[in-house]
Amino acid sequence: MRFGIIGTNWITDHFIKAASAHPEFSLGAVYSRTMEKAKMFAEKYQIKHVYTNLEEMFQSGNIDAVYIASPNKFHAEQSILAMKNRIHVLCEKPAVTSVQEMDEVIQTAKTYNAMFMEAMKSTVTPTF
Protein backbone atom coordinates (compact mmCIF):
# COMPACT_ATOMS: atom_id res chain seq x y z
CA MET A 1 0.00 0.00 0.00
CA ARG A 2 1.37 3.38 -1.01
CA PHE A 3 1.09 5.90 1.82
CA GLY A 4 1.11 9.64 1.62
CA ILE A 5 2.47 11.50 4.62
CA ILE A 6 1.05 14.68 6.13
CA GLY A 7 3.27 16.06 8.85
CA THR A 8 7.04 15.88 8.89
CA ASN A 9 7.67 15.61 12.62
CA TRP A 10 9.19 13.06 15.00
CA ILE A 11 6.06 10.91 15.24
CA THR A 12 6.07 10.48 11.49
CA ASP A 13 9.61 9.12 11.73
CA HIS A 14 8.36 6.51 14.22
CA PHE A 15 5.42 5.60 11.99
CA ILE A 16 7.63 5.14 8.93
CA LYS A 17 10.11 3.02 10.86
CA ALA A 18 7.35 0.72 12.12
CA ALA A 19 5.35 0.60 8.90
CA SER A 20 8.45 -0.13 6.83
CA ALA A 21 8.66 -3.51 8.54
CA HIS A 22 5.63 -4.58 6.51
CA PRO A 23 6.58 -5.81 3.03
CA GLU A 24 3.56 -4.19 1.36
CA PHE A 25 4.19 -0.69 2.76
CA SER A 26 5.69 2.01 0.59
CA LEU A 27 5.92 5.78 0.65
CA GLY A 28 4.19 7.39 -2.31
CA ALA A 29 4.20 11.09 -1.44
CA VAL A 30 4.72 13.69 1.24
CA TYR A 31 2.81 16.90 1.93
CA SER A 32 4.09 19.89 3.85
CA ARG A 33 2.96 23.49 4.04
CA THR A 34 6.31 24.51 2.55
CA MET A 35 8.12 22.96 -0.39
CA GLU A 36 11.43 23.28 1.47
CA LYS A 37 10.25 21.02 4.32
CA ALA A 38 8.54 18.63 1.93
CA LYS A 39 11.71 18.22 -0.14
CA MET A 40 13.91 17.76 2.95
CA PHE A 41 11.60 15.05 4.27
CA ALA A 42 11.32 13.40 0.84
CA GLU A 43 15.08 13.26 0.54
CA LYS A 44 15.41 11.68 3.98
CA TYR A 45 13.08 8.81 2.99
CA GLN A 46 13.63 8.71 -0.80
CA ILE A 47 10.03 9.82 -1.51
CA LYS A 48 9.57 10.66 -5.16
CA HIS A 49 6.50 12.94 -4.99
CA VAL A 50 6.21 16.12 -2.89
CA TYR A 51 3.20 18.39 -2.50
CA THR A 52 2.15 21.63 -0.86
CA ASN A 53 -1.46 21.15 -2.02
CA LEU A 54 -3.40 18.33 -0.35
CA GLU A 55 -6.02 17.95 -3.05
CA GLU A 56 -3.28 17.54 -5.67
CA MET A 57 -1.67 14.81 -3.58
CA PHE A 58 -4.98 13.03 -3.04
CA GLN A 59 -5.82 13.15 -6.76
CA SER A 60 -2.32 12.30 -7.99
CA GLY A 61 -2.72 8.54 -8.17
CA ASN A 62 0.52 8.20 -6.19
CA ILE A 63 -1.07 7.06 -2.91
CA ASP A 64 -3.72 4.62 -1.66
CA ALA A 65 -3.77 5.82 1.95
CA VAL A 66 -2.53 8.71 4.04
CA TYR A 67 -0.96 8.99 7.46
CA ILE A 68 -2.01 12.28 9.07
CA ALA A 69 0.28 13.71 11.75
CA SER A 70 -0.47 17.39 11.33
CA PRO A 71 -1.59 19.70 14.15
CA ASN A 72 -4.75 18.30 15.79
CA LYS A 73 -7.04 21.08 14.60
CA PHE A 74 -6.50 19.94 10.97
CA HIS A 75 -7.14 16.22 11.49
CA ALA A 76 -10.86 16.11 10.69
CA GLU A 77 -10.65 18.47 7.71
CA GLN A 78 -7.71 16.61 6.17
CA SER A 79 -9.26 13.20 6.85
CA ILE A 80 -12.53 14.20 5.22
CA LEU A 81 -10.77 15.64 2.17
CA ALA A 82 -8.73 12.44 1.78
CA MET A 83 -11.77 10.18 2.01
CA LYS A 84 -13.74 12.33 -0.44
CA ASN A 85 -10.91 11.51 -2.83
CA ARG A 86 -11.20 7.82 -1.93
CA ILE A 87 -7.95 7.77 0.04
CA HIS A 88 -7.91 5.63 3.20
CA VAL A 89 -6.84 7.40 6.40
CA LEU A 90 -4.67 6.58 9.40
CA CYS A 91 -4.90 9.65 11.62
CA GLU A 92 -2.89 10.44 14.72
CA LYS A 93 -4.75 10.99 17.94
CA PRO A 94 -6.85 12.82 18.67
CA ALA A 95 -8.61 12.23 15.37
CA VAL A 96 -11.08 15.03 15.99
CA THR A 97 -11.80 17.89 18.36
CA SER A 98 -15.57 17.39 18.73
CA VAL A 99 -18.34 14.82 18.49
CA GLN A 100 -19.71 16.67 15.46
CA GLU A 101 -16.38 16.28 13.65
CA MET A 102 -16.33 12.56 14.44
CA ASP A 103 -19.86 12.18 13.09
CA GLU A 104 -18.79 13.88 9.85
CA VAL A 105 -15.66 11.72 9.56
CA ILE A 106 -17.69 8.53 10.03
CA GLN A 107 -20.35 9.62 7.54
CA THR A 108 -17.71 10.55 4.97
CA ALA A 109 -16.02 7.15 5.36
CA LYS A 110 -19.36 5.42 4.76
CA THR A 111 -20.35 7.64 1.84
CA TYR A 112 -17.04 7.28 0.01
CA ASN A 113 -16.33 3.66 1.03
CA ALA A 114 -13.03 4.66 2.62
CA MET A 115 -11.36 3.29 5.73
CA PHE A 116 -10.65 5.59 8.65
CA MET A 117 -8.56 4.62 11.65
CA GLU A 118 -7.22 6.60 14.56
CA ALA A 119 -3.62 5.73 15.42
CA MET A 120 -4.22 4.50 18.97
CA LYS A 121 -1.80 1.94 20.29
CA SER A 122 -3.89 1.34 23.41
CA THR A 123 -6.25 -0.92 21.45
CA VAL A 124 -3.41 -3.45 21.06
CA THR A 125 -2.01 -3.08 24.54
CA PRO A 126 -2.76 -6.07 26.82
CA THR A 127 -3.87 -3.83 29.69
CA PHE A 128 -6.49 -2.01 27.58
Side-chain angles (χ1 to χ4, degrees), residues 44-109:
K44 181 178 179 181
Y45 290 105
Q46 296 80 47
I47 302 170
K48 192 185 290 188
H49 304 283
V50 296
Y51 296 92
T52 57
N53 180 300
L54 281 177
E55 198 142 13
E56 284 180 18
M57 182 172 78
F58 294 149
Q59 294 175 2
S60 69
N62 295 319
I63 64 172
D64 307 301
V66 66
Y67 172 69
I68 299 175
S70 57
N72 298 347
K73 68 181 182 176
F74 299 121
H75 287 180
E77 174 187 338
Q78 292 171 343
S79 296
I80 290 165
L81 181 61
M83 291 185 293
K84 284 184 175 181
N85 283 280
R86 295 192 164 51
I87 300 295
H88 304 293
V89 174
L90 175 60
C91 185
E92 265 308 327
K93 60 188 182 316
V96 297
T97 59
S98 70
V99 172
Q100 292 78 18
E101 282 183 349
M102 192 75 246
D103 289 343
E104 191 175 353
V105 165
I106 290 168
Q107 187 56 52
T108 303

Side-chain angles (χ1 to χ4, degrees), residues 5 9-22 25 27 41 44-45 67:
I5 301 294
N9 56 52
W10 65 271
I11 199 149
T12 306
D13 293 321
H14 288 280
F15 166 73
I16 291 171
K17 182 180 178 184
S20 293
H22 194 285
F25 172 81
L27 291 169
F41 195 83
K44 181 178 179 181
Y45 290 105
Y67 172 69

